[in-house]
Amino acid sequence: MTGKLLFLQNGPKRDSVAKLPERFAGWGLDVDARWAFDGDFPETLESYDGIFLSGSPHGAYEDIPFIHREHELIQEADKLGIPMLGVCFGSQILASALCGRDQVFRRSFCEVGNKWLDVTPAAANDQIASAIGERVYMFVWHNDEVRAGHPDMRIIASSDLCPNQIWRFRDRKVWGIQGHPEVTKEQAQIWFEQSRATMERDGADIDELKATADEALPAKTMLSKFAALCGATAA
C-alpha cells in the first residue's frame, strides 16, 4: 500500500524550482500538494502517512492566518504521530510549533552559500540522517534561524555560522533542515538567477554559487529516507 504525503507549499508560487512533489511521487508516494500560503489546508489529517513543509519568504513568528493555521496543524500531527520534515521555513515553523515561538529569531546578517556542515554523532543511527556522513554539503540561505540548545532538540548538523542546521524533535519522527538539500545542481543555476537580486542583497556572490553548486547527493538521502519512512513503495 502506497503511503500518502501531505505536501505544504508555503511559498508565494504554487510550484517551485525544486519540483519536490513530483520527486516524492517518483519515490512512490501518493502526494497531496496543498498551497498553504494561499490558505489551502486539508480538513483532517487522518489519511496522511507523512507531512512535508516547504520554505517561505515569511517568518514563523509573523501574524499571518496561514502561519497560525500551520502551527495548529503541526501540533495536531505531532499528537497523531505523523512523521514530518520541514526545510528552511518548514524547519523554523516546526520548531516554533513544537518547541515554542521564541525558538525562531531574525539573524543580524544572512547566511548564504554552498557549505560543508559538521555532523554530530546523533546522525549515525538516525532514521533519515544515517547516510549523510561525518560532513554534509548543501546550499544554505536564511535570515531567520532556529535556536540550538532546546532540551527537546537533537542537533544533527551545524555550520560555522549556524549551530542548528539539522535537528530532530525528541525521538519523534520529526526533522528540520535549515538548508536546501532538495535542489539539484541544474535547478540551482535557475534558482540563483531567478533570485539574483535578493541573494546579492543578502551578500551572495552568484557566480561563486553557480561554480560551487553540487548535486549534494548525501544530503538528498534524507529526503528519500523520509519518503521510505512515510511508506513509499520504491524510495
Side-chain angles (χ1 to χ4, degrees), residues 118-133 153-157 166-168 170 175:
D118 293 320
V119 176
T120 72
N125 299 310
D126 188 80
Q127 287 170 287
I128 74 166
S130 61
I132 63 176
M153 287 182 171
R154 294 185 183 182
I155 304 302
I156 293 175
I166 306 173
W167 64 280
R168 182 175 182 174
R170 298 178 180 169
W175 294 267

Side-chain angles (χ1 to χ4, degrees), residues 25 53 94 198:
L53 304 94
L94 280 172
T198 305

Side-chain angles (χ1 to χ4, degrees), residues 48 118 177 226 228-229:
Y48 297 107
D118 293 320
I177 303 172
F226 180 74
L229 185 67

Side-chain angles (χ1 to χ4, degrees), residues 31-42:
V31 181
D32 181 14
R34 300 288 186 124
W35 196 10
F37 181 93
D38 197 44
D40 181 19
F41 290 93

